[in-house]
Amino acid sequence: MDLKDKVAIITGARRGMGRTHALVLAKAGAKVVVSDISEKDCQKVVEEIKKGGGQALAIKCDVSKKEEVDEMVKKTVEEFGKVDILVNNAGIAQFKPFLELTEEEWDRTLDINLKGYFLCAQAAAKEMAKQKSGVIINIASVAMGQQGIGFPNIVHYCASKGGIAAMTEALAVELAPHNIRVNTIAPGMIETPMIDPIKKDLKTMEAMLARLPMRRVGKPEEVSNLVLFLASEASSYITGSTVVIDGGWLAG
Ligand code: NAP
């Protein structure tokens, strides 16, 4: 799973899983663009990669804004010459009862979690199509629907993640003639700041762990290893797939 000479963009990479995706892909040899809404923390990740002998660049980008997304891809090509891998990872999760959810809150979640994935995928795919190769990895969630579990108080998040899974299948078909593979990763509960509100709710946490065959939440690096596999030639015949990584949650 060697990514030597590959260039990867990871969105939402200042912390959480995006950060470990950046570190793992860099360790495999990729030149990595560490992108997030705040450049300051991205720089810390870049320093960490450089300390390990890798190459990286921090780029501030709000994925819901087309101008910023186009600029991120432009800067990547200026610095590293191309884009081989996009990890659409940036996302937000707001917990709120459906009957209290505002139109603005719905729009914000869909703008970042779904429109942001479209904008980044399109900008990156235009570069990938020129070189007739590329890989797009979209991070959804087990909350994407059709999995036998409903998630209350997070309806807008679930809708965005279901949209990602559907978009992945359609994109995989449309981009295959350009030799671009597109896959979804659907994580279960992973130890990042995103699940802090769930961890505070001890009753919910207990119920979730009781349903989880492995009786523990996942580590960000465990998802990053799957990102590495899907980004590499080791997965050369996999496209249009949704790979669940959840400690057996859906099976339990
Ligand atoms: P996280 O630690 O909250 O990381 C998400 C990152 O995305 C944050 O750095 C966040 O910045 C950034 N971000 C938010 N809005 C953005 C925007 N408009 N443009 C660019 N970056 C933006 O969460 P995580 O758990 O690592 O989540 C990574 C992905 O995995 C998300 O798509 C999430 O939905 C998905 N996921 C997570 C879990 C889990 O259990 N943790 C499970 C399934 C799926 P700010 O901190 O400034 O908002």
Side-chain angles (χ1 to χ4, degrees), residues 15-224:
R15 69 175 203 188
M17 275 185 267
R19 177 181 161 273
T20 57
H21 300 338
L23 295 175
V24 166
L25 296 198
K27 205 171 168 200
K31 294 169 192 160
V32 173
V33 169
V34 179
S35 175
D36 207 304
I37 204 156
S38 151
E39 193 180 346
K40 190 170 151 268
D41 289 337
C42 291
Q43 202 54 52
K44 285 188 201 152
V45 183
V46 165
E47 293 312 321
E48 220 175 321
I49 290 171
K50 286 186 174 166
K51 258 189 214 155
Q55 272 180 274
L57 175 71
I59 302 180
K60 183 208 165 305
C61 171
D62 178 341
V63 296
S64 67
K65 301 202 170 109
K66 182 169 164 42
E67 324 78 67
E68 292 192 26
V69 169
D70 289 346
E71 189 58 25
M72 170 180 71
V73 171
K74 191 168 156 253
K75 277 189 193 160
T76 303
V77 174
E78 278 166 10
E79 179 74 15
F80 294 133
K82 57 180 182 159
V83 182
D84 299 299
I85 299 156
L86 166 70
V87 185
N88 258 331
N89 168 79
I92 57 167
Q94 180 204 17
F95 296 85
K96 190 146 184 203
F98 175 66
L99 296 179
E100 293 163 23
L101 193 63
T102 67
E103 186 182 356
E104 290 71 29
E105 287 165 338
W106 171 276
D107 284 347
R108 181 163 177 265
T109 294
L110 272 290
D111 276 355
I112 296 170
N113 291 11
L114 187 56
K115 189 175 101 175
Y117 279 38
F118 149 63
L119 291 173
C120 292
Q122 192 184 52
K126 281 181 183 173
E127 290 302 322
M128 293 170 179
K130 286 183 202 163
Q131 65 192 25
K132 278 221 149 283
S133 81
V135 178
I136 297 172
I137 298 162
N138 293 324
I139 308 296
S141 162
V142 289
M144 66 192 159
Q146 305 294 307
Q147 304 300 313
I149 312 185
F151 291 82
N153 300 321
I154 195 159
V155 166
H156 46 341
Y157 179 82
C158 297
S160 70
K161 295 300 184 182
I164 290 167
M167 185 173 82
T168 297
E169 282 186 355
L171 263 186
V173 174
E174 200 169 330
L175 295 180
H178 299 282
N179 195 29
I180 299 169
R181 295 187 294 112
V182 192
N183 290 294
T184 293
I185 292 177
M189 216 180 353
I190 311 295
E191 184 65 60
T192 74
M194 188 175 270
I195 67 160
D196 285 349
I198 306 174
K199 277 164 63 185
K200 278 183 203 144
D201 179 353
L202 294 181
K203 230 172 108 191
T204 304
M205 195 66 196
E206 217 171 84
M208 279 179 169
L209 287 175
R211 200 195 151 134
L212 251 170
M214 290 186 75
R215 298 281 185 270
R216 67 168 178 88
V217 298
K219 298 177 193 137
E221 292 79 5
E222 292 175 310
V223 180
S224 302

